[in-house]
Amino acid sequence: MNKATDHKLQNEVDKRRTFAIISHPDAGKTTLTEKLLLFGGAIRLAGTVKARKASKHATSDWMEIEKQRGISVTSSVMQFDYLDHRVNILDTPGHQDFSEDTYRTLTAADSAVMLIDVAKGVETQTIKLFQVCAKRGIPIFTFINKLDREGRSPFDLMEELENVLGIRSVPMNWPIGMGRELCGVYDRMKNQVELFQGDDHSVIRVQKVESYRDPIIREMAGEYLHDQLCADLELLDVAGDPFDYEKVLRGEITPVFFGSAINNFGVQTFLDNFLELAPKPEPRRSTAGAVEPTNEKFTGYVFKIQANMNPAHRDRIAFLRIVSGKFERGMSVKHVRAGKDIKLSQPQQFLAQDRDIVEEAYPGDIIGLFDPGIFRIGDTLSQAGDIEFDELPTFSPEIFSKVTIKNALKSKQFQKGIDQLTEEGMIQVFRTVNFDDILLGVVGQLQFEVFEYRMKGEYGVDVQLQRMSYQFARWIVDDENKPDASKFRINSTLVTDKKGNYVVLFENEYAMRTAMEKNPTAKFLETAP
Ligand code: G4P
């Protein structure tokens, strides 16, 4: 490959930013996403994403159940250009019934934006998503939203980030007032104020200043708010963490931005700063060591499989994260697990749910591949030989049901359905060690409904689900003793997963702690070994 092409690949990698927005429902993810897309010119009218969210019944041709419930059970990918960057936003389902897919999607991101409602602070779904990102050590940027409403004190929120999530924070800007009094933010890094003006706060004036003590701010914000700003920032200067970029990149400290997505306030400066600080596509670990994005040989891995996006086709879509090299439509790649060469002829890129055929793509980009049933989560596609990327983690389910079949004559289809839906990563299947009962584990309740629906619709099998009271699954690894089912009878049970690994299901944390104490030689892992 000649130098010019190398240079082009390097440029394409350098300009890409692939991230996910993590938040609890209602924090404003749809609103923020929409504003970001608007800056990139990816949608012309505000309200497009929102309208899509609201009118799923009319517009979505995705899974029937999604229509019935009027919510999204899928994650999609949005791409836009902004200044010199090509931005990929990995969307994650915002409804409470999110699934393991949400977690897996996060493995395809190089950084995360954590969106927090200023009045509500850190909420349950944020905690779960944060933990998945923190485990990977990716940089996490925080946007505290809805500043136009009365909320909690910024100091209080920073303390909560540390106490609940265990991450220290460094405010990049600081609110001048809040709620009805909100008049702007002070940018600590650039020493400038951004002020809301006009009745609807739609005009934003940016003013360079000497420091936060600059009398210009006093003139603009008034004595009271300026005194408060000075007091807060003096405290931060003394007691706050300094901005340390290396720590940000290691995910040890989170830069915090304040703003109001709905008023577009603080969004553009957030985007500018974020894109500057967020990492470009990162290398991924493989059986042949780390694969650098600038490696000219194309590689990528499947992180998610989505069934029946279009009911007219029974095909599935496999979402592929490109790790290295250039993707070109029609190229042949090795499907490493299957040991076969395949041609990638109809790849798609996603803007919300409108799908376009993609001609070329680069590391950090996500493409959708038609999947006639040949892909599994974690599969590697490669032009760089028989390498395989690290297996994607299997996350601990949080809800469990015993599944039985209503008509015993259908047991073959039942098994086929279970096998395929497990492979797709929609459910996890376990067998009890003593009784050979089949238990299913999921992260969100909706997955059970989707499972029931698809077993009937696609495999013609009526199933019966009986909810169990377990809440945690831990993979048990004990080099000294074989796990003994009789030890896990009170508020717990011993099962095996699809690969035959031993797993213990627990009803509560107390039962889990007790089991750990009683089995000191065993390790209890949160993800499959
Ligand atoms: P989500 O995707 O995270 O679930 O949140 P979404 O953007 O749908 O926002 C949830 C609600 O919060 C919406 O109000 C939205 O308008 C509001 N919101 C988002 N950003 C801000 C903000 O900066 N300030 C204020 N005050 N509100 C904000 P809703 O009443 O549910 O919908 P709608 O009536 O506004 O359409």
Side-chain angles (χ1 to χ4, degrees):
M1 189 165 284
N2 63 35
K3 274 265 171 287
T5 322
D6 284 350
H7 191 63
K8 162 115 171 104
L9 179 58
Q10 180 79 57
N11 277 347
E12 294 290 344
V13 170
D14 288 349
K15 74 185 207 186
R16 274 168 171 75
R17 300 287 183 270
T18 301
F19 67 96
I21 303 180
I22 59 175
S23 64
H24 194 81
D26 272 348
K29 184 156 63 78
T30 311
T31 312
L32 180 67
T33 305
E34 186 170 291
K35 300 293 180 194
L36 296 179
L37 290 174
L38 272 169
F39 282 120
I43 46 174
R44 268 177 290 276
L45 284 175
T48 311
V49 177
K50 184 103 197 160
R52 195 176 262 127
K53 177 176 166 177
S55 65
K56 274 267 178 290
H57 296 270
T59 58
S60 172
D61 63 354
W62 291 26
M63 294 171 60
E64 194 62 25
I65 193 156
E66 192 180 340
K67 285 192 210 162
Q68 287 170 7
R69 296 279 297 253
I71 52 171
S72 176
V73 290
T74 54
S75 310
S76 53
V77 184
M78 284 157 272
Q79 188 179 66
F80 64 92
D81 288 324
Y82 178 72
L83 300 178
D84 295 332
H85 296 290
R86 166 121 339 155
V87 182
N88 292 305
I89 307 182
L90 296 165
D91 193 18
T92 46
H95 192 271
Q96 239 143 3
D97 282 326
F98 73 135
S99 69
E100 210 185 334
D101 253 2
T102 316
Y103 292 153
R104 277 189 291 255
T105 296
L106 295 178
T107 67
D110 297 307
S111 60
V113 170
M114 178 163 68
L115 185 65
I116 287 177
D117 183 322
V118 68
K120 294 187 179 151
V122 177
E123 297 175 85
T124 49
Q125 193 159 306
T126 322
I127 300 175
K128 292 181 191 174
L129 296 165
F130 173 87
Q131 284 166 346
V132 175
C133 295
K135 216 171 227 171
R136 284 187 59 221
I138 60 172
I140 298 170
F141 298 79
T142 304
F143 186 90
I144 297 190
N145 191 27
K146 306 196 186 181
L147 234 66
D148 56 304
R149 287 204 188 145
E150 289 307 325
R152 290 164 51 186
S153 114
F155 285 115
D156 192 21
L157 291 167
M158 285 170 68
E159 200 177 314
E160 187 166 86
L161 293 178
E162 177 155 12
N163 292 342
V164 178
L165 302 177
I167 191 164
R168 293 187 68 85
S169 53
V170 51
M172 305 297 280
N173 63 18
W174 197 259
I176 307 175
M178 196 185 278
R180 239 178 280 159
E181 282 190 335
L182 174 72
C183 72
V185 288
Y186 178 77
D187 186 329
R188 295 179 74 212
M189 303 295 143
K190 297 201 176 106
N191 283 341
Q192 63 187 26
V193 276
E194 289 166 41
L195 290 181
F196 262 180
Q197 291 184 330
D199 285 347
D200 59 353
H201 287 175
S202 61
V203 183
I204 295 160
R205 179 172 154 211
V206 178
Q207 173 80 45
K208 222 44 203 152
V209 290
E210 284 295 314
S211 76
Y212 56 79
R213 295 192 190 87
D214 200 316
I216 296 179
I217 306 179
R218 211 169 186 78
E219 269 169 45
M220 295 191 298
E223 219 169 276
Y224 171 73
L225 291 181
H226 189 223
D227 283 346
Q228 195 187 348
L229 177 75
C230 289
D232 286 356
L233 292 185
E234 272 157 22
L235 184 60
L236 266 189
D237 284 350
V238 179
D241 286 75
F243 179 80
D244 179 336
Y245 190 44
E246 289 306 313
K247 283 191 179 170
V248 172
L249 290 180
R250 289 197 301 269
E252 291 168 12
I253 193 164
T254 177
V256 176
F257 298 82
F258 292 87
S260 165
I262 204 153
N263 296 300
N264 220 350
F265 187 59
V267 177
Q268 185 158 14
T269 38
F270 164 71
L271 183 61
D272 289 344
N273 282 294
F274 167 70
L275 293 179
E276 210 175 297
L277 299 172
K280 58 190 180 191
E282 298 278 340
R284 290 288 194 274
R285 283 201 318 228
S286 79
T287 45
V291 177
E292 293 292 332
T294 48
N295 186 330
E296 67 210 30
K297 298 268 200 307
F298 171 85
T299 62
Y301 66 91
V302 173
F303 63 92
K304 172 180 145 70
I305 290 173
Q306 172 71 57
N308 300 335
M309 283 169 123
N310 180 347
H313 302 277
R314 277 288 172 222
D315 286 343
R316 312 188 292 185
I317 299 272
F319 287 69
L320 183 98
R321 150 94 196 207
I322 300 176
V323 175
S324 67
K326 177 184 179 184
F327 165 84
E328 279 173 286
R329 179 147 89 100
M331 77 195 297
S332 286
V333 297
K334 180 95 175 261
H335 180 334
V336 179
R337 180 180 52 80
K340 275 190 201 144
D341 284 331
I342 56 169
K343 205 168 156 170
L344 304 179
S345 45
Q346 276 192 309
Q348 301 177 325
Q349 221 147 23
F350 309 86
L351 168 61
Q353 286 126 41
D354 300 328
R355 289 173 260 150
D356 289 321
I357 298 286
V358 42
E359 297 296 333
E360 56 175 58
Y362 290 91
D365 289 346
I366 310 297
I367 51 174
L369 304 170
F370 277 112
D371 175 22
I374 58 173
F375 294 123
R376 281 190 210 155
I377 284 169
D379 275 351
T380 301
L381 298 186
S382 162
Q383 283 193 331
D386 285 353
I387 63 159
E388 286 194 86
F389 288 106
D390 280 7
E391 216 175 297
L392 293 198
T394 300
F395 297 94
S396 167
E398 291 159 27
I399 310 174
F400 301 84
S401 281
K402 181 172 156 181
V403 58
T404 45
I405 175 173
K406 285 185 185 161
N407 176 355
L409 291 174
K410 297 264 187 175
S411 64
K412 234 184 175 164
Q413 289 93 318
F414 174 71
Q415 198 51 50
K416 188 173 166 208
I418 298 244
D419 287 348
Q420 288 191 353
L421 297 180
T422 309
E423 230 163 64
E424 235 177 60
M426 200 189 103
I427 46 159
Q428 288 184 47
V429 64
F430 303 100
R431 277 175 195 275
T432 55
V433 166
N434 284 343
F435 302 101
D436 223 18
D437 285 338
I438 301 179
L439 304 188
L440 302 181
V442 295
V443 171
Q445 167 65 26
L446 183 63
Q447 297 308 109
F448 279 143
E449 291 170 37
V450 176
F451 169 77
E452 250 185 304
Y453 180 87
R454 289 186 58 191
M455 284 300 277
K456 188 163 175 58
E458 292 168 40
Y459 304 95
V461 180
D462 281 310
V463 294
Q464 198 145 24
L465 291 171
Q466 182 195 341
R467 183 74 178 264
M468 313 293 281
S469 49
Y470 305 114
Q471 290 187 50
F472 305 95
R474 291 292 179 271
W475 280 262
I476 177 170
V477 181
D478 192 343
D479 294 336
E480 292 177 26
N481 306 297
K482 187 171 174 289
D484 174 0
S486 68
K487 280 189 175 172
F488 301 103
R489 279 207 304 240
I490 301 163
N491 301 335
S492 62
T493 190
L494 184 69
V495 297
T496 52
D497 70 6
K498 67 174 177 193
K499 289 187 178 162
N501 295 314
Y502 284 105
V503 183
V504 189
L505 310 184
F506 295 102
E507 286 185 12
N508 50 49
E509 279 195 69
Y510 177 74
M512 190 157 71
R513 266 202 312 275
T514 313
M516 286 176 182
E517 280 162 20
K518 284 194 177 156
N519 296 276
T521 58
K523 279 192 222 127
F524 292 84
L525 310 173
E526 272 182 60
T527 51

